[in-house]
Amino acid sequence: MCGIVGYIGTKQAYPILIKGLKRLEYRGYDSAGVALISNQQQLNVYKAKGKVSELENFVIQKDITGNIGIAHTRWATHGEPCSENAHPHYSSTETLALIHNGIIENYADLKEKLQAKGYEFKSSTDTEVLVQFIEYIKITNNLDLLTAVQLALNEVIGAYAIAILEKDHPDVIIAARKSSPLVVGIGENEFFLASDATPIVEYTDKVVYLKDEEIAVIHRTDLKVVNLNNVESTPEIKQVAMKLGQIEKGGYPHFMIKEIIEQPDCIYDCMRGRINVDVNNVVLSAVIDHKERLLAAKRFVIVACGTSWHAGLIGKQLIESFCRIPVEVEYASEFRYRDPVIDESDVVIAISQSGETADTLAAVELARSRGAFIYGICNSVGSSIPRATHTGSYIHVGPEIGVASTKAFTGQVTVLTMLALTLAKEKNTINDEEYIKVIRALNDVPVKMKEVLKLNNKIAELAKIFTYAHNFIYLGRGYSYPVALEGALKLKEISYIHAEGYPAAEMKHGPIALIDAEMPVVVIATQNGLYEKVLSNIQEIKARKGKVIAVVTEGDEIISKIADYCIELPTSLECIDPLIATVPLQLLAYHIAVCKGMDVDQPRNLAKSVTVE
């Protein structure tokens, strides 16, 4: 989850590193630190608890000169957030400094061995163990740093992306990765290093994505890539399509509201080149290229975590309804540990915004080892999951910086809808009339999202009423049940209000005991699907004095008279409703959190890209 930045070149490193940390702060913000080899050839390490701004204050009056450095923003795994546990970590002689994203699983064994050799530790992190272990191997065997790193990593169990500086060699950064992302940016007589491309795009669009167990030896004018056994490979240089404006707030107070408001354009970009309304057609190249394998599937299994899992629940209904193929939706974190029954007849769909989610990546590797065909749905081009899958589709919604996912969710649902339509057409399980109707409804989503976004001010006023609520229940049926789950997740992520989503019919089997005059209940109650049943559920809530916020279809004259508050949505098809109904729930969560004075973009204890277990 942590963010890594590095620079080597002719410019002063510190300003580049600090700006890079701010761009990566969504990956972790418990503490931050920087290591620089100064103009006086000193290896200086500065770190502070809290956000990057605390580090900036700490280094005032410190020597921050030097044109080589590494920096880190932390999401705590081993050891509480504090300056001692912040990265970078010195080796015992203070000639090495190392930053790390990931978890070293056998750190306790390594630490015990080093303590037996007389090593002392200043932190409770696995990362300090790693840098001490590298130094121990280097000194004991009189080795150069690269060889010591290779030998150390051959004994490490776990996940890592690391960068390391050596005081006596101020012209090189050594970086390595396994199961945690690391990108090298290539400039003119300078190189950049980062956990993803966001800190790099300001300076260059040429990058190298390191592969598992690769080590980058980065000199001022040269890049060499080797593996743990010192076999050299030619780095594959790719061009990043990301633009600087995509990763800046653009005048909005938070990234989250910017990303909510961007959704109409993002969904248009997601569909562009894939939907042709003039000829009533949907084309996903991944399906065309692998048609036989996909159509031969006896079952689809969707693996995902968090918001992506909610998108998967909608995908299940879409694929089963249109394609008549059974679909299972699994939490990737559970799937990988329960010895699932998977074979060559299965297609596994892996969904991840970042493409680096550790549990989802592990689930992909497990399913692939069992012979399943893997289809990835991701946002981040060049990330680990797309590289590990047989094929897939990018959602093309642009970088998502806010920790609480918004446009990635709607992008994932859009791709799943297009996938279901494409497969159904190839299987002849959908008639032409239904096929055309859904295509046109999907094509209309950006326009209808814009209509919903006009309710922003109204929802902001509504949010003020519920700022001090302690609990929320979200209810929906059919396609709207996953929307209820996602709405509840958004609220608890950023406002810290306890919220739960349920199928509306399940309210009677437990949650109804919680209903009273202090309990707000959000009900997705559009006129599609089981409208009369949801109406009955609302009446049951009102009979117990619950406060109902109903998300209804424009012009509703029944629920609007019963509910305490209504949010009206444009008419759409039931299977398309989730794309439209999600938006007001995102806005409601956002405005409640703002009213409570919360840090919307960087909620406590969370990080954007979950690259550890």
Side-chain angles (χ1 to χ4, degrees), residues 455-473:
L455 302 173
N456 183 41
N457 291 340
K458 175 183 176 180
I459 294 171
E461 289 300 311
L462 180 62
K464 294 176 183 177
I465 300 170
F466 296 102
T467 300
Y468 301 103
H470 297 290
N471 300 280
F472 263 77
I473 290 177

Side-chain angles (χ1 to χ4, degrees), residues 451-466 549-552 560 564-569 584 587-588 591:
E451 289 299 310
V452 177
L453 289 169
K454 291 177 182 178
L455 302 173
N456 183 41
N457 291 340
K458 175 183 176 180
I459 294 171
E461 289 300 311
L462 180 62
K464 294 176 183 177
I465 300 170
F466 296 102
I549 305 168
V551 179
V552 299
S560 60
D564 297 275
Y565 309 95
C566 279
I567 300 170
E568 293 192 351
L569 306 182
L587 289 170
L588 181 65
H591 287 296

Side-chain angles (χ1 to χ4, degrees), residues 23-262:
R23 294 255 162 84
L24 287 178
E25 202 164 21
Y26 64 90
R27 299 180 68 95
Y29 28 88
D30 292 335
S31 59
V34 60
L36 300 156
I37 299 180
S38 71
N39 295 342
Q40 289 72 42
Q41 302 302 302
Q42 297 299 310
L43 177 55
N44 296 319
V45 170
Y46 309 117
K47 45 193 185 176
K49 179 183 176 181
K51 297 190 177 184
V52 176
S53 57
E54 297 298 324
L55 175 63
E56 288 183 285
N57 292 332
F58 180 75
V59 301
I60 294 172
Q61 305 301 321
K62 302 282 197 305
D63 181 3
I64 53 173
T65 62
N67 48 28
I68 177 173
I70 55 177
H72 187 271
T73 180
R74 182 173 186 246
W75 185 87
T77 53
H78 289 78
E80 66 181 41
C82 62
S83 58
E84 291 81 5
N85 289 332
H87 300 207
H89 286 284
Y90 272 130
S91 63
S92 61
T93 63
E94 298 191 353
T95 59
L96 303 179
L98 182 142
I99 54 179
H100 168 224
N101 175 24
I103 292 178
I104 306 302
E105 294 177 9
N106 62 335
Y107 84 100
D109 291 338
L110 296 174
K111 186 173 185 177
E112 186 177 341
K113 292 176 183 177
L114 290 169
Q115 287 173 325
K117 301 287 184 182
Y119 278 78
E120 297 180 354
F121 294 86
K122 298 177 181 179
S123 76
S124 53
T125 68
D126 54 340
T127 303
E128 187 186 5
V129 174
L130 180 57
V131 70
Q132 300 280 41
F133 186 49
I134 291 170
E135 181 176 82
Y136 167 73
I137 290 175
K138 183 179 185 297
I139 292 174
T140 303
N141 300 284
N142 193 27
L143 300 173
D144 63 274
L145 180 58
L146 173 60
T147 305
V149 168
Q150 289 168 325
L151 291 175
L153 294 181
N154 270 308
E155 294 193 41
V156 160
I157 299 170
Y160 56 79
I162 64 167
I164 186 167
L165 293 182
E166 184 175 16
K167 177 182 176 181
D168 297 333
H169 291 87
D171 58 347
V172 62
I173 299 173
I174 291 179
R177 72 150 280 176
K178 181 182 179 182
S179 301
S180 290
L182 209 53
V183 184
V184 180
I186 302 171
E188 293 292 332
N189 296 316
E190 60 184 357
F191 290 91
F192 306 85
L193 186 69
S195 296
D196 62 43
T198 53
I200 295 173
V201 292
E202 182 174 349
Y203 309 101
T204 179
D205 62 353
K206 297 179 179 64
V207 300
V208 172
Y209 295 97
L210 291 185
K211 300 173 184 175
D212 271 359
E213 298 190 339
E214 283 189 336
I215 300 175
V217 183
I218 310 169
H219 289 273
R220 295 180 189 277
T221 58
D222 178 61
L223 169 66
K224 182 172 75 170
V225 176
V226 298
N227 66 13
L228 298 188
N229 298 316
N230 208 38
V231 177
E232 188 170 351
S233 61
T234 301
E236 183 181 358
I237 299 174
K238 296 191 175 182
Q239 190 168 14
V240 179
M242 189 187 304
K243 303 299 181 185
L244 185 60
Q246 293 178 299
I247 57 174
E248 295 181 336
K249 289 181 183 176
Y252 290 97
H254 302 98
F255 279 109
M256 185 176 179
I257 189 63
K258 174 179 182 274
E259 289 160 4
I260 291 171
I261 290 171
E262 283 176 346

Side-chain angles (χ1 to χ4, degrees), residues 461-502:
E461 289 300 311
L462 180 62
K464 294 176 183 177
I465 300 170
F466 296 102
T467 300
Y468 301 103
H470 297 290
N471 300 280
F472 263 77
I473 290 177
Y474 286 68
L475 301 176
R477 298 197 70 162
Y479 284 99
S480 294
Y481 163 51
V483 176
L485 292 174
E486 177 62 10
L489 178 61
K490 290 285 95 61
L491 185 68
K492 64 183 130 186
E493 281 181 321
I494 62 172
S495 73
Y496 318 142
I497 294 173
H498 174 253
E500 296 295 334
Y502 291 96

Side-chain angles (χ1 to χ4, degrees), residues 39 119 132 135 158 180 204 209 237 298 302 353-354 357 396 401 415 460 501 508 564 574 579 610:
N39 295 342
Y119 278 78
Q132 300 280 41
E135 181 176 82
S180 290
T204 179
Y209 295 97
I237 299 174
K298 298 291 192 296
I302 297 175
Q353 187 283 135
S354 68
T357 310
H396 294 310
I401 307 301
V415 165
K508 296 185 291 292
D564 297 275
E574 182 183 8
L579 289 166
V610 185

